[in-house]
Amino acid sequence: FPGLSASWKLSSEGFASGMGFSDLKLRVGWGRQGNPGIPPYKSLLTFNPGTGSTYPWGDVPQGGVSANSNPNPDLKWEQTDQFNFGLDFGLWSNRLAGTAEYYVKNTSDLIEFVQAPAPSPVSQTLANVGKLKNTGFELTLDALAASSPSFTWRAGLTFAAPTSKVVSLGGASFIRSGVVSGQGQSDQWSQRIMPGQPLGTFFGPVFLGIDAAGKQLFRCITASTTCVNGQTTAPAAEDYAVIGNANPDFTFGLRSSMTWSKIDVSFLIRGAVGGDVFNNTALVYSTKGNALQDKNFLASALPQNDATGLHEPAIYSSRWVESASYVRLQNLTITYTLDIPALRRTARNMQLYASMDNLFTISGYSGLDPEVSNLSTDPNNLSPDAGLAARGIDYLSYPRARTVTGGLRISF
């Protein structure tokens, strides 16, 4: 795959000598890369033995095999062309340095599961189906905020604002993605891949509230016996709309490291603003009907917290799509350098340290962690039910652990 890049060190030019920059460089680049992203044998017709493949021969069942994937001899890698425009700069002898970058990525031959035409051994086929465009702006800053014989403070900031848009899907108007889990959710999907929309677009009924009878109300478009004043208890396909986007508007990170005498303190804060997450766990376990079947349900489903009727089924809608914005203290580390005269001849350095990960997360999300998706990202375990491009779906996801470690570090 080819690539080409060039740079111009502007700070070495005479016209930039009076601009105050200790370093200034302009960069531009283009490259093409491929994403294999295809498990072995997915372009072939494959078979799988199992109980569903047995057949009777006389009075004895005989083992057999059945197809578990459709052949696609035209299946190939995704291909991405990326253009980068960057500016590296430094001020005050590089006490403040940074990089600003804008990129454009055009991906063709997008890999996705699509509905197979009948007759086919399996209902879906892995195929190259469309084009995707990603653009974004990234900023990195590093600063020596303070420097003295007894105190040093270094800080850094990262910022990224990515956007994506599906350009085309070949002859398809949309592709379903992100299966909804739970009882009564057969053939229910949480997302659609559509031209003009980003990957991770949630699509479904718009939830309006609960009526006096405990029925869920949804927005409807066409007036009918079931659609009165723009409200219905049984939304039709034409009532579905875009109800969320799993992609954040921007992400950021803030790191800091301070040294005072023998004490070092460093921390890392990360966050994301905008974006949504589908709380599939809440959809399943916030349904009062679970009580009729002796199943567990969340406290949020109790009558004092939720007016939904006891016999009302779980219905996927914007009710279960929540904000995924968060701020997380990712790490805090404190180090104390010991000075023991008796060990100076044998140990170059000795430090006591304590490190804490995932100390707290500030978020309005009602689940355990907004930065989560239960869908597999293993390219060898692609699932047509999940959808290759699905993201931002939380179903029975195990929460991030909060860990505290400490110890003695000795360098000889």
Side-chain angles (χ1 to χ4, degrees):
F1 293 98
L4 181 66
S5 63
S7 63
W8 182 12
K9 196 172 180 62
L10 298 174
S11 55
S12 298
E13 302 293 341
F15 65 82
S17 59
M19 299 175 63
F21 289 94
S22 52
D23 184 39
L24 186 63
K25 182 169 66 174
L26 184 66
R27 296 180 288 105
V28 61
W30 167 85
R32 175 175 294 169
Q33 60 185 1
N35 171 23
I38 305 172
Y41 312 115
K42 279 297 182 181
S43 63
L44 305 176
L45 174 64
T46 57
F47 297 87
N48 183 48
T51 56
S53 304
T54 60
Y55 63 95
W57 184 264
D59 295 330
V60 181
Q62 304 293 324
V65 295
S66 58
N68 62 353
S69 70
N70 292 319
N72 183 1
D74 298 322
L75 190 63
K76 58 183 178 179
W77 289 14
E78 291 181 354
Q79 182 172 284
T80 299
D81 289 287
Q82 179 167 334
F83 299 87
N84 292 73
F85 307 91
L87 181 69
D88 302 330
F89 61 89
L91 294 166
W92 307 299
S93 299
N94 286 350
R95 287 180 66 97
L96 175 63
T99 298
E101 189 153 356
Y102 178 78
Y103 65 86
V104 179
K105 294 173 62 176
N106 294 304
T107 301
S108 58
D109 299 319
L110 190 68
I111 300 172
E112 181 59 277
F113 282 99
V114 297
Q115 200 70 22
S120 296
V122 183
S123 62
Q124 292 188 312
T125 299
L126 194 62
N128 303 101
V129 295
K131 297 180 180 179
L132 177 69
K133 182 177 183 179
N134 290 275
T135 60
F137 173 75
E138 297 178 347
L139 176 67
T140 301
L141 294 175
D142 291 287
L144 178 60
S147 178
S148 70
S150 60
F151 179 73
T152 302
W153 179 20
R154 298 181 181 275
L157 172 70
T158 58
F159 173 88
T163 62
S164 71
K165 181 176 70 173
V166 177
V167 177
S168 70
L169 290 175
S173 58
F174 67 87
I175 297 174
R176 302 183 302 175
S177 184
V179 69
V180 179
S181 300
Q183 183 176 350
Q185 305 302 321
S186 178
D187 201 36
Q188 180 65 60
W189 302 76
S190 63
Q191 297 180 358
R192 278 189 179 182
I193 304 173
M194 302 180 290
Q197 297 290 339
L199 297 178
T201 296
F202 294 107
F203 195 84
V206 179
F207 177 74
L208 298 178
I210 308 296
D211 67 10
K215 295 285 188 179
Q216 299 178 78
L217 295 175
F218 306 94
R219 188 181 70 188
C220 56
I221 298 175
T222 306
S224 65
T225 56
T226 59
C227 178
V228 180
N229 297 325
Q231 298 180 342
T232 181
T233 58
E238 59 267 23
D239 300 323
Y240 284 28
V242 173
I243 56 176
N245 176 9
N247 305 286
D249 296 331
F250 64 87
T251 61
F252 65 90
L254 175 65
R255 61 187 184 279
S256 176
S257 176
M258 292 174 283
T259 301
W260 177 66
S261 186
K262 300 178 182 180
I263 300 175
D264 295 299
V265 178
S266 63
F267 66 82
L268 172 62
I269 295 174
R270 294 191 305 107
V273 176
D276 301 296
V277 58
F278 165 38
N279 193 343
N280 200 159
T281 304
L283 177 144
V284 174
Y285 291 99
S286 290
T287 302
K288 287 187 175 69
N290 286 343
L292 300 176
Q293 304 177 47
D294 295 328
K295 294 182 179 180
N296 293 328
F297 58 89
L298 298 175
S300 58
L302 292 172
Q304 61 267 33
N305 301 321
D306 183 8
T308 307
L310 181 62
H311 297 278
E312 185 72 355
I315 302 175
Y316 168 70
S317 70
S318 60
R319 178 182 186 180
W320 312 108
V321 177
E322 306 181 37
S323 171
S325 298
Y326 71 91
V327 176
R328 186 193 309 277
L329 180 55
Q330 186 70 37
N331 176 264
L332 173 64
T333 300
I334 302 174
T335 303
Y336 181 76
T337 301
L338 299 172
D339 186 8
I340 304 176
L343 298 177
R344 289 177 180 173
R345 293 184 179 180
T346 56
R348 291 187 296 107
N349 191 24
M350 183 179 296
Q351 294 179 320
L352 285 172
Y353 70 92
S355 181
M356 294 146 279
D357 292 317
N358 194 30
L359 275 180
F360 66 80
T361 301
I362 301 174
S363 174
Y365 179 51
S366 64
L368 297 175
D369 191 341
E371 190 187 18
V372 69
S373 180
N374 71 298
L375 302 180
S376 174
T377 57
D378 180 2
N380 294 315
N381 188 30
L382 301 180
S383 168
D385 292 333
L388 303 187
R391 58 192 66 182
I393 299 175
D394 181 8
Y395 182 55
L396 302 178
S397 301
Y398 196 80
R400 295 169 183 262
R402 180 178 295 114
T403 60
V404 179
T405 58
L408 177 64
R409 186 184 298 117
I410 304 176
S411 302
F412 294 97

